[in-house]
Amino acid sequence: MIISKLNLNKALQILNESAQVFVPAFEVIEDRAAKKSIREKKFLPYREDLEVELEGPNTVKPPKDILFPNVEKLYQYKAAGEDSYIRETLPEETPKILFGIRPCDMRSIKSMDKVFFTKNYVDSYYARRREYVTIVAIGCTETDRTCFCDSMGIDPNTAPGADVMMNRIEGEEAYLLHAQTEKGEALLKNLESLEGPSENVKAIRTDCTLKIRKIPDLDRKLAEMFEHPIWDKVTKGCIGCGTCTFVCPTCYCFDIDNENYGTEGCKYRCWDSCMFSDYTRMAGGANPRPTKKERLRNRYMHKLSYFNERYGETLCVGCGRCIANCPSHLDISEFIEKSSAVDPKAEVYTESIRAAQGKEA
Amino acid sequence: MVIGHTCTCDQNPLLPALCRVIDVKQETPDVQTYTIQTLDGKKPFSPLPGQLAMVSLLGVGEAMFSITAQGEDYIQSSIKRTGMLTDAFHEMQPGQEIGIRGPYGNHFPIEDLKGKDILFIGGGIGIAPVRSLIRYCLEHRADYGHLDILYGARSRKDICFKEDCLENWPKEPDTSVYITTDVPSDDWDGHVGFVPSYIEEVGFRPEGKKVVLCGPPIMIKLGAASLLKLGFAKEDVITTLELRMKCGIGKCGRCNIGSKFVCLDGPVFTLAELDELPDEK
């Protein structure tokens, strides 16, 4: 199906009648301290007056919070003797459409599906939201300086698993849409009235800006490099702020806590970060990952090695958000290149010589 | 190890069932055992030896504990006072409503242990998970060989499950019980010394024997060294790990060691399995 750019707003309006549509759009935020306003691109509930931008750079934050909110109620309770209760609070059954997500973000949703749907337990909250979401993915027409998805095995022009795939047509102000699932077919049926002529059209193809050299079996190599001095180097500069986990489309770790109002309250879960020291700290104070080095190593290993071992795929999709947003300029793509290139044995050897020389001096 | 939980996937795995503490027993100055039942007087679930339960004090918090015993209509957990949440647990009176979800994790390899002699070693509150297996073996006595139970506590008053350790278990047929305390006291005429050196002192023979070793990390480390010195193979020494947990279903992320999650793939591991994991324990 072909839809002209001119009809895009109409398409979103039609879709918004039967579901809540989320689109990448600009929001203006007043920075009162700097006395200026900032334009930030994010997934917002569709309104007619929104400044929607499907193409251009990706959103600052990934759309993961629509499936896995920052804070989510698990159940309500009352702790009052005989009157005590625990009441499940599953998310509402509201159909949602995620319109215009990028191939990297689609791949991360597929990774989250593996986490929340497999390995013996299905997460009821995620499952409910996921069931009610229809995803329209769009192939990238331009990429950021920090985009390296194709080095991580993702094609920026296709999004397997999305219900509808959408690509810009070469030389025309229009998009080519095709359904990839039954949900997608049903969605496109709603837009039939807007269909444009489709003769000899060709979708635009884009390539990633940042090319990195990653060896195919980096996951196994890193498993052998747990004690390697590269971890001391890569941690330098990390301030443990957790921004990387906040903007990461595949970071799914969460905390569970409660909020009380008298004897009543609710149990909620919220995003957590493996970069924080209390993430693994136990009662009594023992901490298996006591310093930034262990924590950053765990994060990178989880993305590039542990997840492969458990779920058969890498957990970094190369979206580049952690690189673009790190206040200390830590760069996971640089780490991937360096660890791919390093000769584990030689490096340990030179490091230990240097350490020995240092002691002598 | 096999994952042996009894999950029914159409249920919400993060939702606790409201239960009631029907008995509180002061085991030592800082350990209490809670007997837990559903509100209608039933057993919350039937765990296998070594499995875990997420125990929730509504309005305060929840944490993962081993299940030390079970009966027809109850489960029991023994909890040591170590922090904010366990302080609150120790204020509980019989009749207190709590939330329970589980059982979580794998379990002691009850099938592999069949026909073998078993040496149980517990240190401090580490005897709690071991006790679930001791009780299981005693209930299925014909399936298992000679049972040795070695338990170390700080002093006489810190011995958990005094009735079992000092009276019941020594009377069981084909069972030897060795109790030691770290420090001597007037009311203790038994062995004094640390668990690792007592293991060597007794000089257990490795032939046909499996070991279950639970306790504080330092005791596991030194106890394992003593066992290896006596000729035990790493495959035959089974232990349990404990890390901070939130979800109990291998999803919240924090209890990983390498690609394994202690709440789901553990808590039971052999020393040989631990050797395969990164050193973050």
Side-chain angles (χ1 to χ4, degrees):
Chain A
M1 172 185 282
I2 288 173
I3 290 182
S4 143
K5 265 193 172 182
L6 292 171
N7 278 331
L8 189 65
N9 242 318
K10 210 169 274 176
L12 293 170
Q13 278 167 22
I14 293 171
L15 295 176
N16 207 37
E17 282 165 15
S18 54
Q20 191 178 19
V21 180
F22 289 84
V23 278
F26 287 100
E27 187 178 56
V28 178
I29 302 159
E30 294 299 326
D31 184 339
R32 290 167 68 183
K35 291 199 175 78
K36 61 176 184 183
S37 53
I38 304 161
R39 274 159 52 87
E40 193 179 276
K41 192 172 172 180
K42 51 166 76 166
F43 275 86
L44 294 171
Y46 174 75
R47 296 190 315 262
E48 266 176 60
D49 59 340
L50 268 189
E51 192 190 336
V52 178
E53 188 191 71
L54 289 178
E55 300 171 43
N58 202 354
T59 52
V60 178
K61 252 173 60 184
K64 74 173 171 186
D65 56 347
I66 292 159
L67 290 164
F68 176 53
N70 308 34
V71 182
E72 177 171 41
K73 227 187 228 187
L74 300 178
Y75 54 87
Q76 281 179 310
Y77 57 78
K78 184 169 183 176
E82 294 286 317
D83 298 334
S84 299
Y85 63 75
I86 294 175
R87 273 180 214 145
E88 187 181 39
T89 50
L90 282 176
E92 281 172 36
E93 301 178 6
T94 339
K96 287 177 180 158
I97 296 169
L98 257 172
F99 197 98
I101 83 164
R102 300 298 172 89
C104 56
D105 291 338
M106 186 59 227
R107 225 308 294 278
S108 44
I109 290 174
K110 285 178 75 189
S111 294
M112 298 244 274
D113 287 350
K114 288 194 170 174
V115 171
F116 288 116
F117 281 113
T118 70
K119 303 284 175 195
N120 302 342
Y121 291 99
V122 173
D123 185 288
S124 311
Y125 304 88
Y126 182 86
R128 170 69 68 90
R129 288 181 200 277
R130 186 75 175 88
E131 190 191 334
Y132 283 91
V133 163
T134 307
I135 297 172
V136 180
I138 182 166
C140 297
T141 51
E142 62 178 88
T143 57
D144 288 348
R145 63 180 174 85
T146 54
C147 283
F148 60 103
C149 71
D150 64 359
S151 305
M152 302 309 284
I154 293 160
D155 173 11
N157 304 291
T158 58
D163 299 301
V164 174
M165 186 65 215
M166 181 170 173
N167 290 88
R168 177 76 188 275
I169 295 167
E170 218 171 64
E172 278 187 59
E173 295 291 299
Y175 297 105
L176 181 62
L177 285 79
H178 69 271
Q180 303 191 127
T181 65
E182 276 176 27
K183 260 189 193 174
E185 276 167 23
L187 185 143
L188 290 189
K189 242 187 162 61
N190 285 331
L191 301 179
E192 269 170 357
S193 62
L194 303 175
E195 184 158 9
S198 57
E199 276 169 44
N200 301 324
V201 293
K202 207 175 148 216
I204 282 181
R205 285 196 66 82
T206 310
D207 212 2
C208 266
T209 321
L210 178 60
K211 297 282 176 194
I212 61 168
R213 290 176 300 277
K214 174 183 173 294
I215 55 165
D217 58 347
L218 182 64
D219 53 327
R220 284 193 293 273
K221 184 178 182 181
L222 283 175
E224 304 292 317
M225 286 172 61
F226 193 76
E227 301 293 350
H228 196 274
I230 195 166
W231 297 113
D232 295 297
K233 284 186 205 160
V234 73
T235 318
K236 275 183 194 154
C238 175
I239 56 167
C241 66
T243 300
C244 50
T245 56
F246 187 73
V247 297
C248 178
T250 68
C251 272
Y252 59 81
C253 291
F254 59 86
D255 191 8
I256 296 178
D257 210 337
N258 40 253
E259 195 167 274
N260 295 322
Y261 317 96
T263 56
E264 287 174 78
C266 79
K267 200 81 165 174
Y268 63 88
R269 71 167 162 201
C270 58
W271 294 356
D272 204 348
S273 174
C274 56
M275 296 285 98
F276 300 155
S277 66
D278 61 357
Y279 178 70
T280 47
R281 189 165 55 219
M282 289 182 269
N287 193 343
R289 293 197 275 270
T291 73
K292 281 184 294 181
K293 177 186 160 183
E294 291 86 22
R295 299 196 276 273
L296 189 75
R297 177 172 63 190
N298 183 67
R299 180 166 193 272
Y300 280 9
M301 289 289 278
H302 184 211
K303 300 281 173 211
L304 304 170
S305 180
Y306 300 158
F307 201 80
N308 298 56
E309 203 181 318
R310 203 166 176 86
Y311 296 99
E313 64 190 28
T314 301
L315 195 59
C316 174
V317 295
C319 73
R321 288 184 176 99
C322 59
I323 309 172
N325 292 291
C326 177
S328 297
H329 307 295
L330 264 68
D331 184 339
I332 194 169
S333 74
E334 198 182 306
F335 172 79
I336 293 169
E337 281 210 325
K338 278 189 178 158
S339 53
S340 287
V342 90
D343 173 355
K345 280 168 197 145
E347 189 82 2
V348 172
Y349 180 66
T350 49
E351 280 293 316
S352 56
I353 288 181
R354 214 169 291 152
Q357 282 170 342
K359 267 176 209 155
E360 276 165 30
Chain B
M1 296 270 152
V2 218
I3 294 172
H5 70 82
T6 47
C7 157
T8 42
C9 286
D10 54 336
Q11 284 177 2
N12 181 346
L14 294 177
L15 187 72
L18 192 61
C19 289
R20 185 169 284 137
V21 175
I22 56 162
D23 184 57
V24 177
K25 189 180 175 206
Q26 194 78 38
E27 301 281 356
T28 76
D30 59 2
V31 175
Q32 285 183 344
T33 297
Y34 307 103
T35 306
I36 301 158
Q37 222 172 39
T38 59
L39 294 184
D40 52 355
K42 297 200 178 87
K43 187 175 183 169
F45 43 74
S46 296
L48 288 161
Q51 282 196 294
L52 309 167
M54 188 61 95
V55 186
S56 170
L57 191 52
L58 298 176
V60 183
E62 60 180 1
M64 197 73 108
F65 298 97
S66 67
I67 301 155
T68 189
Q70 55 182 310
E72 281 285 296
D73 55 0
Y74 67 87
I75 59 167
Q76 278 184 342
S77 221
S78 295
I79 295 176
K80 183 178 164 159
R81 200 171 184 146
T82 29
M84 218 170 66
L85 177 65
T86 49
D87 275 356
F89 276 129
H90 276 239
E91 299 297 317
M92 292 196 300
Q93 300 297 324
Q96 171 77 49
E97 281 75 15
I98 55 166
I100 287 266
R101 52 188 180 94
Y104 295 124
N106 65 356
H107 55 86
F108 288 116
I110 40 181
E111 290 300 317
D112 297 351
L113 291 172
K114 274 188 181 160
K116 304 261 169 45
D117 294 341
I118 308 171
L119 165 57
F120 301 95
I121 303 172
I125 189 65
I127 192 71
V130 179
R131 180 165 174 253
S132 67
L133 183 60
I134 297 176
R135 284 173 60 99
Y136 184 89
C137 293
L138 292 175
E139 279 160 23
H140 303 79
R141 195 64 194 87
D143 291 341
Y144 302 95
H146 183 77
L147 306 180
D148 287 301
I149 301 166
L150 189 153
Y151 175 42
R154 250 173 312 174
S155 67
R156 167 75 171 71
K157 67 176 191 310
D158 297 303
I159 296 174
C160 271
F161 318 121
K162 291 188 183 65
E163 277 164 35
D164 280 343
C165 293
L166 305 174
E167 290 167 36
N168 301 338
W169 293 341
K171 285 186 209 145
E172 292 286 344
D174 208 13
T175 304
S176 317
V177 178
Y178 306 85
I179 310 283
T180 181
T181 63
D182 295 351
V183 291
S185 57
D186 293 341
D187 57 355
W188 180 243
D189 55 4
H191 187 275
V192 174
F194 291 111
V195 168
S197 53
Y198 198 24
I199 295 171
E200 289 180 48
E201 208 177 296
V202 180
F204 296 101
R205 310 275 311 157
E207 290 79 24
K209 195 175 284 159
K210 293 264 189 184
V211 188
V212 175
L213 172 71
C214 300
I218 185 70
M219 192 212 86
I220 291 183
K221 197 176 163 196
L222 299 176
S226 298
L227 290 164
L228 298 181
K229 213 192 271 180
L230 292 173
F232 285 91
K234 285 185 172 176
E235 289 73 20
D236 293 331
V237 182
I238 302 152
T239 185
T240 59
L241 292 182
E242 196 184 356
L243 285 176
R244 187 165 194 194
M245 297 172 190
K246 287 284 182 175
C247 73
I249 56 174
K251 307 207 191 295
C252 82
R254 73 206 63 229
C255 73
N256 77 302
I257 301 175
S259 68
K260 298 274 185 273
F261 289 96
V262 175
C263 69
L264 187 60
D265 307 307
V268 179
F269 295 95
T270 65
L271 289 186
E273 287 169 328
L274 292 187
D275 270 359
E276 299 289 310
L277 301 178
D279 188 17
E280 244 176 27
K281 300 174 274 280

